Amino acid sequence: MARIVRFHETGGPDVLRLGEEPEVDPGHGEVRIRVEAIGLNRAEVMLREGIYHERPVFPSRIGYEAAGVVEAVGEGVTSVQEGDRIATVPSFALSQTRQGVYGESATVPAEIAEPYPAALSPAQGATLWMAYLTAYGALVHYGKLGPDDAAIITAASSSVGLAAIQIAKERGATVIATTRTAAKKEALLGLGADHVVATDEEDLPARAMEITGGSGARVTFDPIAGPLLTTLCGAAAPYGTIYEYGALHPGETAYPLMPMLAKSLTIVGYQVLDFVRDEARFAAGRDYLFAGLASGALEPVIDREFPLDQIVEAHRHMESNTQCGKIVVTV
């Protein structure tokens, strides 16, 4: 038996329930993991609320990202073996509602079980793939970010935002991080941002132009959308690209046609679940990540750890938007 998190209806954090269930034996191409740590992501909040692209099937499991030890392998699995320390890679290959990783045990496709550096703790291992591969795909693979560039990173105190700051700095770019209020300014500066703009209190386009000498940001990395998208057009450089990797704004997002046309901007919808489907892209991202971890250029930032029996409190903390870094649940 294992303690597993499920929810039986959509709603707030209180719909999450922890109960005991029999462990699931792995089928063909699957592995069962003894989970040691779980990294929380906004995608799980959206699934829980019923607004994610995958719809929950009740009683629904939940969760993309966990670190643990392989304790059983199914037929046809050769990529990992029992006893391997692995972390799950967020991918379309995993269905949160059927195979989510919140719990003491998770049975998942073997293709998403990837070893992580031995120097890292399980809590650190659970912070890696979603944050760093999301940022790497947009900023490095597609964006080709370099020393002559300025990059705007919104929602900068999130785990993806902090990974993006580290990657942009490793690439030599000037980082303009944004947050809603000044409360997190000092923390973000201490975590590597060159400049921090509080968007509820400052004019982002004006500040971006001041910082870049009137050029604007060639690359923008944003998970919010909504009215902010028009503002980001005003802060962008001509021919710049805005990568939209989320939809945190609760309402509709109007397409900013005239601001986009005025600067010949490109607005790209992007998500890591698609990026990792290509083996060559994933391998390049993994190699970049591991090299950065080894050199110290990249370092996971954990905001707070919760025990599994406080999964509701962990989700409440995520929704408070007070965190700076990854929220981890230890098992």
Side-chain angles (χ1 to χ4, degrees), residues 103-164:
E104 294 175 332
S105 177
T107 299
V108 302
E111 67 185 88
I112 72 164
E114 282 284 332
Y116 61 91
L120 300 185
S121 68
Q124 291 172 315
T127 71
L128 296 180
W129 298 118
M130 181 71 86
Y132 285 99
L133 288 181
T134 300
Y136 168 87
L139 300 182
V140 180
H141 179 82
Y142 292 122
K144 310 297 183 189
L145 197 66
D148 295 331
D149 291 321
I152 292 175
I153 297 168
T154 70
S157 61
S158 69
S159 58
V160 179
L162 293 178

Side-chain angles (χ1 to χ4, degrees), residues 128-280:
L128 296 180
W129 298 118
M130 181 71 86
Y132 285 99
L133 288 181
T134 300
Y136 168 87
L139 300 182
V140 180
H141 179 82
Y142 292 122
K144 310 297 183 189
L145 197 66
D148 295 331
D149 291 321
I152 292 175
I153 297 168
T154 70
S157 61
S158 69
S159 58
V160 179
L162 293 178
I165 290 172
Q166 293 177 14
I167 288 173
K169 292 305 297 178
E170 189 279 330
R171 302 290 288 181
T174 298
V175 175
I176 304 170
T178 81
T179 183
R180 289 184 58 194
T181 71
K184 296 179 181 179
K185 266 195 171 185
E186 290 305 314
L188 289 169
L189 289 169
L191 288 165
D194 295 301
H195 307 272
V196 180
V197 179
T199 55
D200 283 358
E201 304 165 10
E202 301 176 76
D203 185 322
L204 175 57
R207 287 285 290 120
M209 292 304 163
E210 176 188 342
I211 291 164
T212 62
S215 298
R218 187 180 69 81
V219 174
T220 299
F221 187 55
D222 174 56
I224 301 171
L228 179 62
L229 181 55
T230 299
T231 302
L232 293 174
C233 289
Y239 308 104
T241 302
I242 299 172
Y243 293 95
E244 286 292 340
Y245 71 95
L248 295 180
H249 179 73
E252 293 293 323
T253 296
Y255 188 72
L257 179 61
M258 294 311 294
M260 183 272 297
L261 289 176
K263 293 184 176 180
S264 298
L265 301 177
T266 301
I267 299 172
V268 178
Y270 161 80
Q271 61 173 326
V272 72
L273 300 184
D274 178 66
F275 179 80
V276 300
R277 297 171 84 177
D278 182 282
E279 291 183 11

Side-chain angles (χ1 to χ4, degrees), residues 8 18 28 77 123 167 171 182 185 193 207 256 282 287 294-295 326:
H8 294 71
L18 181 63
H28 183 87
V77 174
I167 288 173
R171 302 290 288 181
K185 266 195 171 185
R207 287 285 290 120
F282 171 74
D287 293 349
S295 72
K326 192 81 163 184

